[in-house]
Amino acid sequence: MSRVYNFSAGPAALPLAVLERARDELTDYAGSGMSVMELSHRGPAFRDIAARSEQSLRDLLRIPDHYRVLFLQGGATLQFAMAPLNLAAADARVDYVVSGSWGRKAVAEAKRLCRVRIAADGVDSGYTQVPPRDGWDTSADAAYLHYTPNETIGGVEFHWVPDTAPVPLVADMSSNILSRPLDVGRFGLIYAGAQKNIGPAGLTLVIIRDDLLACARADVPGMLRYEVHAEAGSMSNTPPTFAWYMAGLVFEWLRDQGGLETVGAQNDHKAATLYGAIDESDFYANPVETGSRSRMNVPFTLAEPSLDDSFLREAEAAGLANLKGHRSVGGMRASLYNAMPQAGVDALVEFMREFERTRA
Ligand code: PMP
């Protein structure tokens, strides 16, 4: 078997133990004689998978009882529209804090649906830092405040949770959910595409405070209403059963690692290893202000961009895959989600030092 260290931003690496378990259960799940992919979502075997998956997530994040967990489709991108459609009337004002390109996309979608006010925008810093809290222009009558705790492309992460009470806080946590402990009670709505820290693409996780479930506009179709999904146990229609099952395996794997405190400390250590290597060198650079650096997505550039292609080619040959930066920014990006082991980061740093030694 040959596995590489996969630094993709998403779909991203999954824990090998999870893939192996899925392989072992692939054609005969728990003596059913069927694959999970072949199980009826209404039958007892899948209902058990779904319930266990939700419970494991609740245990990991210590989700309070007055929050509902939804397993949806449509990606985080659909949540850019579902959040305003469900939480804000057409004439309502909503606040957005923008710290990078995903926040901008969320704004563009919300603008079609309600009155968006930009409470803060990191554009002046070139999106190299989280907009400082004291500069936010928020409104007490906003239906919610939306922000992006981790900007996957720019590598900018909030290391604190904004206090917006009584305005509900809405977070696109696609690229840093489950990367450390989280106080879910601070949020009104959390959403995340699965394909980074949760499981395969095709599943979208939503965690919503139950008093926000029934606020949707009257004309919002059923499939776009949180309340409908909550009442149906995320089975209003056929859910993405295999991705849901895989997410459950990932949650159990996280528990077996020691939970989010342990995983969070490992993530801190991985990020410190890579940023340390970048900072100690004149050949590599990361533009993000130290206090806003992402632990999950580390963009970096080479002093000589003409060497980018050989860097990527040689990294690939050394078993370090998907280091190419996002097409909008170029350079490199190493994504260090939960499934990336410290050994992968150590291998990357060793490769970077050797590349610098031979080229600089
Ligand atoms: N928000 C963030 C922070 C993301 O990183 C991504 C995907 N990279 C998205 C939203 C869009 O997610 P999806 O492709 O699941 O719609």
Side-chain angles (χ1 to χ4, degrees):
M1 186 191 62
S2 159
R3 295 269 298 167
V4 297
Y5 290 120
N6 178 4
F7 293 92
S8 170
L14 285 163
L16 180 59
V18 165
L19 294 173
E20 287 175 339
R21 186 163 157 201
R23 176 199 61 199
D24 293 345
E25 298 178 340
L26 190 69
T27 55
D28 179 8
Y29 175 74
S32 66
M34 288 178 238
S35 171
V36 171
M37 286 180 269
E38 301 168 301
L39 293 174
S40 162
H41 61 296
R42 310 263 177 223
F46 187 75
R47 285 200 165 268
D48 178 60
I49 289 172
R52 276 194 290 127
S53 171
E54 175 172 342
Q55 192 55 52
S56 308
L57 180 72
R58 285 188 171 276
D59 294 346
L60 273 177
L61 284 171
R62 300 193 181 94
I63 299 177
D65 289 345
H66 62 295
Y67 283 76
R68 303 295 293 265
V69 178
L70 309 178
F71 293 84
L72 307 181
Q73 301 182 61
T77 305
L78 185 58
Q79 296 308 308
F80 294 165
M82 275 180 77
L85 284 172
N86 281 269
L87 305 185
D91 60 349
R93 180 123 94 191
V94 293
D95 282 348
Y96 276 70
V97 171
V98 180
S99 49
S101 35
W102 289 109
R104 283 164 67 139
K105 290 203 162 150
V107 165
E109 196 71 344
K111 274 188 172 161
R112 301 179 203 267
L113 300 164
C114 47
R115 288 160 60 212
V116 174
R117 171 191 175 110
I118 306 297
D121 193 323
V123 65
D124 291 342
S125 73
Y127 296 114
T128 57
Q129 71 173 102
V130 159
R133 180 70 178 92
D134 54 12
W136 294 14
D137 183 14
T138 55
S139 23
D141 63 343
Y144 61 81
L145 182 139
H146 179 285
Y147 80 121
T148 314
N150 186 63
E151 280 286 353
T152 321
I153 297 173
V156 170
E157 184 172 17
F158 280 74
H159 297 294
W160 44 280
V161 175
D163 187 4
T164 57
V167 172
L169 183 59
V170 174
D172 172 3
M173 235 172 252
S174 292
S175 49
N176 69 348
I177 194 163
L178 296 171
S179 66
R180 61 180 163 203
L182 180 71
D183 184 358
V184 172
R186 304 277 302 275
F187 297 84
L189 169 70
I190 294 168
Y191 62 86
Q195 64 273 17
K196 300 157 196 305
N197 252 347
I198 297 172
L203 176 73
T204 312
L205 190 69
V206 166
I207 304 172
I208 182 167
R209 212 174 63 210
D210 55 18
D211 62 290
L212 298 173
L213 278 172
C215 308
R217 307 168 189 196
D219 59 353
V220 175
M223 277 303 284
L224 299 179
R225 302 176 84 90
Y226 293 131
E227 193 181 22
V228 166
H229 290 292
E231 278 170 4
S234 305
M235 296 198 198
S236 315
N237 71 333
T238 315
T241 49
F242 195 73
W244 193 340
Y245 153 80
M246 289 292 288
L249 297 188
V250 170
F251 301 152
E252 286 176 24
W253 176 81
L254 287 168
R255 179 201 59 204
D256 295 345
Q257 301 309 296
L260 298 186
E261 282 81 6
T262 308
V263 167
Q266 289 167 354
N267 285 333
D268 288 348
H269 193 254
K270 287 184 292 179
T273 304
L274 182 49
Y275 285 115
I278 291 169
D279 289 345
E280 75 179 17
S281 132
D282 293 329
F283 187 71
Y284 301 106
N286 165 280
V288 180
E289 179 246 351
T290 323
S292 303
R293 281 175 161 180
S294 169
R295 298 157 310 124
M296 296 287 101
N297 310 99
V298 183
F300 62 94
T301 50
L302 274 50
E304 189 44 73
S306 62
L307 292 173
D308 283 5
D309 285 347
S310 23
F311 181 93
L312 288 166
R313 206 173 40 248
E314 290 171 35
E316 191 89 38
L320 308 167
N322 289 323
L323 284 162
K324 193 173 172 55
H326 191 269
R327 59 188 184 280
S328 64
V329 290
M332 309 299 154
R333 172 176 52 172
S335 294
L336 313 179
Y337 301 121
N338 291 337
M340 174 59 62
Q342 178 71 38
V345 183
D346 293 342
L348 171 60
V349 163
E350 195 185 317
F351 170 81
M352 288 166 68
R353 291 198 175 120
E354 184 59 15
F355 188 86
E356 175 178 358
R357 194 183 64 74
T358 54
R359 305 305 157 89

